[in-house]
């Protein structure tokens, strides 16, 4: 298979140029020469430099002068993508073993799906994925942003990631929208992604703030009425817990901001039916 016409690789990053260069060097060990690689620099203080990305891949670099968030960056990359499939990676994740051809061939046959989570390992967290060459598709709830193959036309049909989600949980939200439309998410094997989880410009407390801003909005928009209140109560208690854990009251404030944003948009609410929600929850997470 000639991959150049089938799949594009994409990375969105901010203030982590050296991490990007390292990931590109690691990709060269597994992915074929000449593959299209799109890089979106989300307003970095020290921008990614094209010449430091090497010549192994066909690299195209885009830059926003101001930071608009990860969801906006990833939407921009996929809108620039001219191939049927888009391999979305974090700036510190990269194919480590296996064959991307195997994945794309399997994905082409699954026409009802819009996303294909791929096996990934995180050595720094002790996460392993031993049987990554198992190719049979498994229907799952959602995908993780560091390791997913996206079917571009269906992703665009869903309107892309919610740009209001500055970062974190945008994958969960689009999977709920996709499930409501009958767009499936299948985990595929054939390749192993390594996620280094580098700490450069990464704050767990900041991640918690963004997550607790987005999750109340997501469940207000998409949860069946019967489980919406229990979901929000659970999030409320978790927000208190995380606020004390990180000594960041802004986490609790973020929960309320998300709740207010959700109620402000309640006329756009498009919940799953209780039956569909149960089908969704009965699947493996990813």
């Amino acid at each position: 298979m000639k991959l150049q016409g089938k799949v594009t690789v994409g990375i969105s990053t901010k203030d982590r140029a050296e991490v990007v260069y390292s990931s590109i060097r690691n990709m060269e060990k597994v992915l074929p020469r000449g593959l299209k690689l799109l890089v979106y620099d989300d307003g970095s203080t020290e921008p990614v430099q094209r010449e430091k990305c090497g010549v192994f891949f066909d690299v195209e670099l885009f830059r926003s002068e101001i930071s608009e968030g990860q969801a906006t960056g990833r939407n921009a990359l996929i809108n620039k993508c001219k191939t049927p499939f888009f391999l979305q990676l974090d700036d510190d994740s990269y194919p480590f073993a296996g064959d991307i051809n195997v994945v794309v061939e399997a994905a082409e046959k699954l026409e009802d799906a819009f996303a294909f989570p791929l096996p990934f390992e995180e050595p720094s967290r002790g996460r392993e994925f031993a049987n990554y060459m198992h190719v049979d598709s498994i229907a799952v709830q959602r995908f993780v942003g560091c390791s997913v193959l996206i079917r571009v036309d269906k992703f665009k049909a869903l309107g892309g990631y919610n740009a209001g989600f500055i970062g974190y949980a945008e994958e969960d939200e689009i999977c709920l929208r996709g499930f409501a439309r009958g767009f499936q998410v299948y985990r595929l094997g054939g390749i192993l992604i390594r996620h280094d989880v580098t700490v450069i410009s990464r704050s767990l407390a900041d991640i918690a703030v963004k997550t607790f801003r987005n999750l109340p909005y997501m469940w207000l928009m998409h949860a069946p009425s019967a489980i919406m209140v229990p979901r929000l109560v659970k999030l409320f208690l978790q927000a208190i817990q995380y606020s004390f854990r990180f000594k960041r009251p802004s986490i609790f404030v973020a929960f309320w901001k998300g709740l207010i944003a959700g109620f402000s948009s309640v006329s756009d609410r498009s919940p799953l039916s209780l039956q569909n929600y149960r089908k969704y929850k009965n699947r493996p997470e990813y």
Side-chain angles (χ1 to χ4, degrees):
M1 180 195 299
K2 187 177 180 181
L3 277 178
Q4 279 83 347
K6 296 282 187 177
V7 64
T8 298
V9 183
I11 299 170
S12 179
T13 188
K14 181 187 176 186
D15 290 330
R16 287 156 59 93
E18 292 299 327
V19 175
V20 172
Y21 306 144
S22 175
S23 292
I24 291 174
R25 288 193 294 271
N26 282 310
M27 287 183 213
E28 293 173 1
K29 301 171 186 176
V30 176
L31 296 178
R33 180 181 289 274
L35 205 60
K36 191 72 173 182
L37 171 61
L38 305 179
V39 179
Y40 182 88
D41 188 312
D42 187 32
S44 295
T45 305
E46 296 184 11
V48 175
Q49 299 177 41
R50 171 62 185 85
E51 59 271 20
K52 291 188 178 182
C53 294
V55 297
F56 189 90
F57 298 113
D58 179 12
V59 178
E60 194 169 353
L61 178 62
F62 306 95
R63 172 170 167 77
S64 173
E65 293 302 320
I66 58 170
S67 178
E68 297 182 291
Q70 184 171 261
T72 295
R74 286 174 169 170
N75 281 340
L77 290 173
I78 296 176
N79 286 331
K80 294 285 186 181
C81 179
K82 297 177 181 177
T83 55
F85 294 98
F86 178 82
L87 177 59
Q88 176 182 294
L89 301 170
D90 276 359
D91 56 11
D92 58 355
S93 68
Y94 47 87
F96 182 71
D99 187 351
I100 189 64
N101 285 279
V102 173
V103 180
V104 173
E105 285 177 356
E108 285 181 315
K109 299 172 185 175
L110 298 167
E111 297 182 359
D112 60 338
F114 87 97
F116 307 90
L118 305 175
F120 69 97
E121 64 178 18
E122 294 176 329
S124 64
R125 293 174 172 171
R127 176 188 169 91
E128 298 179 349
F129 206 113
N131 193 22
Y132 69 87
M133 287 303 293
H134 181 79
V135 180
D136 290 349
S137 60
I138 300 172
V140 296
Q141 294 177 24
R142 65 183 185 90
F143 60 86
V144 179
C146 70
S147 177
V148 61
L149 185 72
I150 290 171
R151 187 187 297 276
V152 173
D153 59 350
K154 281 188 165 54
F155 180 91
K156 290 180 177 179
L158 288 170
Y161 293 119
N162 186 327
F165 282 30
I166 301 301
Y168 303 97
E170 70 268 21
E171 302 98 337
D172 304 59
E173 196 272 339
I174 196 172
C175 287
L176 284 168
R177 277 189 281 133
F179 193 82
R181 291 270 300 271
F183 291 1
Q184 302 299 318
V185 178
Y186 292 118
R187 185 174 73 226
L188 292 176
I191 197 168
L192 178 66
I193 307 297
R194 173 167 287 183
H195 186 203
D196 285 338
V197 199
T198 51
V199 297
I200 300 169
S201 298
R202 187 194 297 269
S203 163
L204 292 179
D206 288 345
I207 290 171
V209 169
K210 294 172 183 176
T211 301
F212 279 100
R213 160 61 178 79
N214 294 337
L215 288 179
Y217 177 91
M218 181 182 81
W219 289 116
L220 271 169
M221 290 294 100
H222 303 298
S225 299
I227 66 98
M228 182 173 64
V229 172
R231 270 280 176 185
L232 293 175
V233 169
K234 183 178 179 180
L235 280 173
F236 173 79
L237 296 174
Q238 288 174 332
I240 295 174
Q241 178 188 356
Y242 275 77
S243 294
F244 281 105
R245 176 181 171 184
F246 289 110
K247 299 179 181 178
R248 287 280 296 271
S250 54
I251 295 173
F252 188 63
V253 172
F255 169 83
W256 286 106
K257 286 182 177 179
L259 205 62
I260 292 167
F263 279 118
S264 300
S265 305
V266 74
S267 59
D268 298 324
R269 179 170 148 78
S270 55
L272 294 174
S273 68
L274 189 57
Q275 181 181 8
N276 267 352
Y277 177 78
R278 286 171 175 161
K279 284 174 61 179
Y280 173 83
K281 292 298 290 182
N282 282 336
R283 296 179 170 187
E285 190 174 359
Y286 53 79

